[in-house]
Amino acid sequence: MDAIGIAVRFALYFDLGALFGLAAFGLYALRGEERRSGAGIAFRPLIAGAALLGLLFSVLGLAVLAAGMAGVPLASIDRESVEMILAGTGVGTAWLVRIAALILALAFALVGRNRPVAALTGAALAGAVALVSLAWAGHGAMDDGATGWLHLAADIAHLLAAGAWTGALIALLLLVFRRRGLIDRDHLILSHRVLAGFSTTGTIMVAVIVASGLINGWILVGPAHVIRLPATLYGQLLIAKLLLFGAMAALAATNRFRLVPAFERALARADHVAALNALRRSLAMETGCALAVLALVAWLGTLAPPATG
């Protein structure tokens, strides 16, 4: 049951982050008619698919939680256990809000063909609410008073920044891995502009992740427990997460300061193949690190941190 719970948490982190991040990317990275055409990215089907998967994973997550609380196998949960969670817990309220937000995101994706800005805006806002609802199922909802509010706010900021980065990586991969027959000079110029523009946005995301992560670390670990981190499973997973995040930041910096400028120079020479392949490799590795980080976050959320354990 623990393994299933971790897998569902990972699926929700990735899916809801992708939903919010993709919709937001369409707003801040694309312009005018590019939003209608998608610039080669099928935003509406991707957002609709993510919303549907979010609904499925949310139902499964509720079932896993109910089974864990009742101490019964997943197939043996009863209606009373589910109703108790929905009616009597903050997690249940957050779940209901998430379901409503996902239905709204699905609606915006399905009916927004002729008004892409409105559709992306609605989907991004609904996706943000769905993603933020996960904070009530994590460590950030356990504290009381001012510390509790600070922790919850840091968790929310962490989730939104990480989701924006996840969705952006998916969008960038779809741009640079477009089928060869569909890659013309206009698409290459668009890809370079989007990659160059994301540099600033990505820097803001990293700054928010670092700041909110420091707050969370101070509350969950605390200075008195730092030295014990390598001796605990929680600490080992946290260290692995920080190393992977560092690798992501290093890859992002490489893209910004070396690979994207090299791509621009290659476009000027009409010889883009090698530069594009280098960007593809870097973005693929960055995305792999992001998936590993999300898996570790899902696991960490099931463990007691040093400051509370």
Side-chain angles (χ1 to χ4, degrees):
M1 188 63 69
D2 286 345
I4 296 174
I6 292 169
V8 172
R9 288 171 65 88
F10 165 74
L12 280 169
Y13 282 131
F14 176 70
D15 180 75
L16 300 184
L19 169 57
F20 165 63
L22 276 168
F25 184 91
L27 290 170
Y28 68 74
L30 302 183
R31 305 170 181 168
E33 187 61 29
E34 293 168 357
R35 297 191 181 107
R36 187 179 300 276
S37 66
I41 302 172
F43 281 103
R44 292 176 63 246
L46 286 169
I47 290 170
L52 287 171
L53 284 174
L55 291 168
L56 174 63
F57 293 140
S58 293
V59 170
L60 181 56
L62 179 62
V64 171
L65 179 60
M69 292 180 67
V72 299
L74 192 59
S76 301
I77 58 172
D78 54 29
R79 180 177 176 179
E80 288 74 19
S81 298
V82 173
E83 288 179 344
M84 181 192 71
I85 294 171
L86 293 179
T89 67
V91 172
T93 302
W95 187 90
L96 292 171
V97 170
R98 185 189 315 148
I99 294 298
L102 288 170
I103 292 172
L104 276 175
L106 178 60
F108 278 115
L110 293 178
V111 303
R113 178 185 296 274
N114 296 322
R115 301 186 66 183
V117 175
L120 287 171
T121 301
L125 291 173
V129 172
L131 180 60
V132 163
S133 73
L134 296 177
W136 274 263
H139 293 127
M142 297 189 310
D143 298 311
D144 298 319
T147 299
W149 286 110
L150 176 63
H151 196 179
L152 190 60
D155 260 8
I156 289 171
H158 209 72
L159 282 166
L160 290 174
W165 198 351
T166 299
L169 284 173
I170 294 171
L172 292 173
L173 283 174
L174 291 171
L175 275 176
V176 301
F177 276 99
R178 196 179 192 191
R179 281 193 297 132
R180 182 173 299 179
L182 298 176
I183 297 180
D184 55 18
R185 183 162 181 81
D186 287 341
H187 181 78
L188 291 171
I189 293 172
L190 168 66
S191 298
H192 171 263
R193 193 202 80 214
V194 169
L195 285 161
F198 180 70
S199 297
T200 300
T201 309
T203 300
I204 295 171
M205 293 174 190
V206 171
V208 172
I209 289 172
V210 170
S212 56
L214 288 172
I215 294 171
N216 284 340
W218 183 274
I219 295 171
L220 291 173
V221 178
H225 300 280
V226 170
I227 196 169
R228 294 199 300 113
L229 283 178
T232 65
L233 177 59
Y234 185 96
Q236 292 162 7
L237 296 178
L238 179 60
I239 291 168
K241 174 194 168 186
L242 293 175
L243 290 174
L244 283 166
F245 175 76
M248 287 181 67
L251 287 165
T254 300
N255 292 342
R256 175 175 184 175
F257 296 111
R258 189 166 69 85
L259 297 184
V260 172
F263 184 44
E264 182 180 21
R265 294 192 295 271
L267 286 177
R269 300 193 304 269
D271 182 21
H272 68 272
V273 176
L276 182 61
N277 286 338
L279 275 167
R280 286 171 171 171
R281 287 192 296 270
S282 181
L283 286 169
M285 289 189 291
E286 191 176 340
T287 304
C289 289
L291 291 173
V293 167
L294 291 177
L296 290 172
V297 169
W299 192 352
L300 282 164
T302 67
L303 302 175
T308 61

